[in-house]
Amino acid sequence: MGRIPRRRSQKERSAETSSRLMAATIDLLHDRGITRATTPDIARAAGVSRGALTHHFPTRETIITASIANMLHLVNEDMRRFGKAFAESGGSSDEIVDYLWKVMSDRLFYVTMEYLPEARHNDEFKAQLVPVVREFHAGLDAIWTELAARTGADPEHTRNVMNATMCCIRGMIAQTILRQDQDYYEGLLRFWKEQVRQQFPGKAAGTAKKTRKRTAE
Amino acid sequence: MGRIPRRRSQKERSAETSSRLMAATIDLLHDRGITRATTPDIARAAGVSRGALTHHFPTRETIITASIANMLHLVNEDMRRFGKAFAESGGSSDEIVDYLWKVMSDRLFYVTMEYLPEARHNDEFKAQLVPVVREFHAGLDAIWTELAARTGADPEHTRNVMNATMCCIRGMIAQTILRQDQDYYEGLLRFWKEQVRQQFPGKAAGTAKKTRKRTAE
DNA sequence: ACTTACAAACAATCAAGCCTGTTTTTGAAG
DNA sequence: CTTCAAAAACAGGCTTGATTGTTTGTAAGT
């Protein structure tokens, strides 16, 4: 029989609805793009009414910025976990590149490309995102710094290498939209790993006999 | 008194109007973004009526794709010219990086970021752009190949270095939208030039005593 | 009872495509 | 060289459709 769903507190209801709305927003941002992610669509995707949406997020911009902030927080946590695990297990730098590629190309940067143009033309929207992104980048920097400390590499040099890696991956992902060329990306990524490996002369070279792929798929 | 403007042929009128419309389209794509670049705005910016626009370009997509194709052709020509001049004068690889950064960050990649997301969600739009972009990339590849031939470097290696450079620049420009941090970009660019220089061991190292900044600003 | 969460209808806005006129150019006949 | 009808270039209004923010009404929790 239909069990009567336990009486939930307001906080629980509110938090769950918000979460579902934000998740649906990111899904739509990724799947249909920011212009097609309309408030009726978001509400429908989240399985709630548009009224519920407007109750939690008064304007469309509000829910989008909240969703982005939420997404970046989650990604940052995941990255921190990876960084910690990596430092402890002490793998090859290839694994870092593979991990970053995976995380970035699995929605993150596609979603980013949806809102960046809007941020460029909408000052209010931009103002809300700048601190969020700043925190994200600060989180990254902390991970790179810790990585440098663990591997004994120069911190600034490590930051440069990792930031360049991130930028390179961003540029590649941008290209994937209009350039379907698996060989191109694989070749470039292989080349890049080689470069990164040479930047961590001390330890990485030894551990990496090949590329023990575990994270990549 | 008002001189009667010389009687122009249909071809002249048509070509000029089209050009103005396409130029206005790119301007608006850059200045206000693809969603805000409405057909009334484009017509107004070009100084023609909306009727004229619909006469030359039946749909909004048509004028946008045409404008992008036109822009990429112009950029490709400019790059070819630079490549030729560079090969003849034989400068440092730093100059290549500076040039690419300048070209890409002077509207080109910002405009690109406007239409990439749309292409990701609009198959028809994408289908029209794929060949255009393919040609653009082919043009780039030709330039890299010629560069390798002139400097005596390995062609594939050169392509990898230059493609990585392009991707890195793309990623950096994407960041510029939400991360205002001149030092960060300058530092990263300096680091990158260093890397590139090391990839052209034969000639570049000599010419570049320091970094003769001329193009960057 | 009172506040919070949710539902759904409403009004104003605005862009895209279509369609109907008007002007300019063409080219061919007289 | 002039005339004139057809075609191309251009101007601007109209309709439809979709979206956002607002508002009013209802149910669930405190």
Side-chain angles (χ1 to χ4, degrees):
Chain A
M1 315 264 175
R3 287 197 55 214
I4 292 161
R6 188 177 70 68
R7 180 186 167 106
R8 295 178 305 163
S9 73
Q10 301 262 53
K11 263 193 180 171
E12 282 173 321
R13 286 186 12 164
S14 184
E16 195 196 315
T17 307
S18 286
S19 283
R20 290 175 61 176
L21 281 167
M22 289 192 288
T25 301
I26 298 296
D27 286 348
L28 283 176
L29 245 44
H30 176 267
D31 295 345
R32 297 192 212 164
I34 194 168
T35 56
R36 286 171 244 265
T38 67
T39 46
D41 282 343
I42 293 172
R44 202 174 309 127
V48 303
S49 73
R50 236 198 107 221
L53 190 157
T54 65
H55 173 71
H56 290 279
F57 304 95
T59 76
R60 181 172 175 269
E61 263 183 39
T62 313
I63 189 175
I64 290 179
T65 52
S67 304
I68 293 168
N70 187 51
M71 173 186 72
L72 290 182
H73 280 130
L74 294 175
V75 170
N76 228 330
E77 275 177 31
D78 193 76
M79 283 184 163
R80 205 174 306 241
R81 266 197 299 276
F82 173 83
K84 201 162 167 247
F86 176 85
E88 284 171 0
S89 74
S92 151
S93 66
D94 286 16
E95 288 175 30
I96 303 180
V97 178
D98 278 330
Y99 170 77
L100 291 176
W101 172 264
K102 191 184 161 200
V103 169
M104 294 288 280
S105 63
D106 176 24
R107 311 211 334 184
L108 177 57
F109 195 63
Y110 290 109
V111 173
T112 303
M113 281 190 290
E114 295 293 333
Y115 66 77
L116 280 185
E118 176 65 18
R120 204 162 71 82
H121 303 289
N122 184 336
D123 286 340
E124 208 166 327
F125 186 64
K126 176 178 169 180
Q128 289 178 306
L129 287 176
V130 163
V132 171
V133 168
R134 195 203 316 279
E135 198 184 330
F136 179 72
H137 288 146
L140 281 182
D141 246 45
I143 296 172
W144 307 154
T145 303
E146 166 136 1
L147 182 67
R150 298 259 189 172
T151 60
D154 175 56
E156 193 188 327
H157 186 252
T158 303
R159 270 202 299 273
N160 272 331
V161 174
M162 298 317 298
N163 282 331
T165 300
M166 288 293 285
C167 284
C168 194
I169 288 175
R170 289 188 189 102
M172 286 173 70
I173 295 175
Q175 277 200 291
T176 62
I177 295 175
L178 286 179
R179 177 173 184 167
Q180 247 84 33
D181 188 346
Q182 199 62 29
D183 295 343
Y184 170 75
Y185 301 108
E186 278 178 11
L188 205 45
L189 220 47
R190 211 176 309 128
F191 168 79
W192 191 263
K193 285 182 199 166
E194 178 99 20
Q195 300 306 116
V196 175
R197 232 177 290 144
Q198 289 173 11
Q199 307 293 331
F200 292 96
K203 86 167 329 184
T207 328
K209 347 175 57 162
K210 201 56 186 173
T211 305
R212 276 184 41 210
K213 53 170 65 176
R214 248 186 82 210
T215 35
E217 64 181 18
Chain B
M1 306 281 173
R3 289 196 53 216
I4 292 160
R6 190 178 68 69
R7 180 186 166 105
R8 294 178 305 163
S9 73
Q10 302 261 49
K11 263 193 181 169
E12 282 173 320
R13 287 189 6 166
S14 184
E16 196 196 315
T17 306
S18 286
S19 283
R20 291 174 60 177
L21 281 166
M22 288 191 290
T25 301
I26 297 297
D27 286 347
L28 284 175
L29 243 46
H30 177 267
D31 295 344
R32 297 193 212 162
I34 194 168
T35 56
R36 286 170 244 265
T38 67
T39 47
D41 282 342
I42 293 172
R44 202 174 310 127
V48 303
S49 71
R50 243 199 98 222
L53 190 156
T54 64
H55 173 70
H56 289 280
F57 304 95
T59 76
R60 181 171 175 270
E61 264 183 39
T62 313
I63 190 177
I64 290 180
T65 52
S67 304
I68 293 168
N70 187 51
M71 173 187 71
L72 289 182
H73 280 130
L74 293 176
V75 170
N76 229 328
E77 275 176 31
D78 194 75
M79 282 184 163
R80 207 174 305 240
R81 267 196 300 277
F82 172 84
K84 204 163 164 246
F86 177 84
E88 284 170 1
S89 74
S92 149
S93 66
D94 286 15
E95 289 175 30
I96 303 180
V97 178
D98 278 330
Y99 169 78
L100 291 177
W101 172 263
K102 191 183 159 201
V103 169
M104 295 287 280
S105 63
D106 176 23
R107 311 210 336 183
L108 177 57
F109 195 63
Y110 290 109
V111 173
T112 303
M113 280 190 290
E114 294 294 334
Y115 65 76
L116 279 184
E118 176 65 18
R120 203 161 72 82
H121 302 290
N122 183 335
D123 286 340
E124 210 166 324
F125 187 64
K126 176 178 170 180
Q128 288 178 307
L129 287 176
V130 163
V132 171
V133 169
R134 196 204 314 280
E135 198 184 329
F136 179 73
H137 288 144
L140 281 182
D141 246 46
I143 296 173
W144 306 154
T145 304
E146 166 137 2
L147 181 68
R150 299 258 189 172
T151 58
D154 175 55
E156 193 188 327
H157 186 252
T158 303
R159 269 202 301 274
N160 272 331
V161 174
M162 298 315 298
N163 283 330
T165 301
M166 288 293 285
C167 284
C168 201
I169 288 175
R170 289 188 189 101
M172 286 172 70
I173 295 174
Q175 276 200 293
T176 62
I177 296 175
L178 286 180
R179 177 174 184 166
Q180 247 85 31
D181 188 346
Q182 199 62 30
D183 294 343
Y184 170 75
Y185 302 108
E186 277 177 12
L188 206 44
L189 220 47
R190 210 176 310 126
F191 167 80
W192 187 254
K193 284 182 200 166
E194 179 101 20
Q195 299 306 115
V196 174
R197 231 178 290 144
Q198 289 173 10
Q199 305 294 330
F200 292 96
K203 87 169 327 184
T207 327
K209 348 175 55 162
K210 200 59 187 173
T211 305
R212 278 187 36 212
K213 54 169 63 176
R214 249 187 79 210
T215 34
E217 65 180 19

